Amino acid sequence: MMPIAPLMIEHRLIERMIKVMRTEVEAIDKTGRLRPEFIDQAVDFIRIYADRCHHGKEEDILFELLARTAISDQYRQTMEELREEHVRAREMTARLVAAKDRHPLGDVMTIMKGLVDFYPVHIEKEDRRFFIPCMAYFSSREQDDMLEAFREFDRRLIHEKYRSVVEKFEGKG
Ligand SMILES: [Fe+2]
Ligand SMILES: [Fe+2]
C-alpha cells in the first residue's frame, strides 16, 4: 500500500463531515437556532482528526521527508501553499470556537461556511495535484517506511488526546 492511501481515505471522512457541516449551516439559516453541541463536536473533529491526526501526518512526516528531497520547484511551492492552508484552517477553527462562545449567529455561520468551502479545495489540490506525483520521489522501501511512520503516529495519538484531556482538568493544559 502506498503511504498516500491512508491520507486519501482520511480525506473521504473529512469530506463526509464537511457535508454534515454544510447541512447544519443550512439548518441554522432556516431555524435561526445554533446547536452548541454540534459546534463542539465539529470543532473536536476538525482539531483532532482533520488537523492533529491528518494534517499532522502530512506535515510531520510527508512534508518533512519531501523537504529533505530534491523535489521540483513547482511541488515545493505547492507544499508551502498546503502548509499555509493548514495554518488558515487552524485560525478559522479557533475563530469558530470564539464565535460560538459569544453566540453571534452570523459569525458562526460565516466561519462554518468558510471551513465548508476551504476543505474540498484543499483536499482536491492534494489528491489530484500533489500526492501521486510526489510519491515518484520515494523508492518502494521508503514508501513502506513512511507508511509505518504514519501508523506509529496514529498509535500515539489516542494517548496524546486523552493525556491532554486529563491535564486540562488538572489545570496544566
Ligand atoms: Fe492537507
Ligand atoms: Fe490532506
Side-chain angles (χ1 to χ4, degrees), residues 17-47:
M17 187 62 192
I18 290 300
K19 198 170 161 210
V20 170
M21 285 173 70
R22 187 175 288 126
T23 306
E24 184 71 11
V25 169
E26 286 162 10
I28 298 170
D29 208 13
K30 261 192 226 132
T31 62
R33 268 211 330 271
L34 196 75
R35 292 193 299 153
E37 70 281 7
F38 178 88
I39 310 278
D40 289 342
Q41 291 284 293
V43 164
D44 185 74
F45 179 90
I46 293 169
R47 280 191 166 157

Side-chain angles (χ1 to χ4, degrees), residues 120-137:
V121 179
H122 179 78
I123 285 173
E124 208 251 351
K125 192 191 260 188
E126 289 177 341
D127 278 356
R128 303 255 172 115
R129 289 188 277 140
F130 190 70
F131 281 173
I132 292 168
C134 282
M135 283 300 103
Y137 290 103

Side-chain angles (χ1 to χ4, degrees), residues 9-170:
I9 290 166
E10 288 164 11
H11 280 170
R12 305 291 81 80
L13 191 65
I14 295 168
E15 283 169 346
R16 284 166 64 191
M17 187 62 192
I18 290 300
K19 198 170 161 210
V20 170
M21 285 173 70
R22 187 175 288 126
T23 306
E24 184 71 11
V25 169
E26 286 162 10
I28 298 170
D29 208 13
K30 261 192 226 132
T31 62
R33 268 211 330 271
L34 196 75
R35 292 193 299 153
E37 70 281 7
F38 178 88
I39 310 278
D40 289 342
Q41 291 284 293
V43 164
D44 185 74
F45 179 90
I46 293 169
R47 280 191 166 157
I48 304 298
Y49 189 79
D51 194 44
R52 188 72 196 102
C53 172
H54 179 74
H55 295 166
K57 288 199 287 298
E58 289 173 349
E59 288 185 7
D60 296 0
I61 300 167
L62 176 62
F63 294 179
E64 275 302 303
L65 288 166
L66 284 169
R68 288 187 247 141
T69 307
I71 58 172
S72 74
D73 288 349
Q74 183 201 335
Y75 295 133
R76 199 165 291 281
Q77 196 199 318
T78 304
M79 185 167 76
E80 283 320 307
E81 286 169 15
L82 293 169
R83 270 191 212 276
E84 284 162 20
E85 286 167 16
H86 291 173
V87 172
R88 228 165 1 108
R90 258 165 233 145
E91 285 166 0
M92 277 193 272
T93 311
R95 289 213 323 273
L96 180 59
V97 173
K100 189 211 86 174
D101 292 342
R102 283 186 276 107
H103 266 282
L105 219 57
D107 284 8
V108 172
M109 298 261 297
T110 306
I111 301 162
M112 268 181 50
K113 273 185 197 151
L115 282 163
V116 162
D117 291 339
F118 163 83
Y119 270 102
V121 179
H122 179 78
I123 285 173
E124 208 251 351
K125 192 191 260 188
E126 289 177 341
D127 278 356
R128 303 255 172 115
R129 289 188 277 140
F130 190 70
F131 281 173
I132 292 168
C134 282
M135 283 300 103
Y137 290 103
F138 300 106
S139 68
S140 63
R141 171 74 199 271
E142 286 168 331
Q143 291 188 29
D144 286 348
D145 289 348
M146 203 186 305
L147 190 59
E148 189 45 42
F150 282 174
R151 287 183 177 136
E152 185 53 32
F153 186 98
D154 284 346
R155 263 197 292 273
R156 280 201 297 258
L157 209 60
I158 188 100
H159 303 282
E160 178 188 302
K161 152 88 182 164
Y162 287 99
R163 191 166 49 244
S164 86
V165 168
V166 173
E167 286 175 356
K168 202 169 162 201
F169 283 123
E170 288 173 342

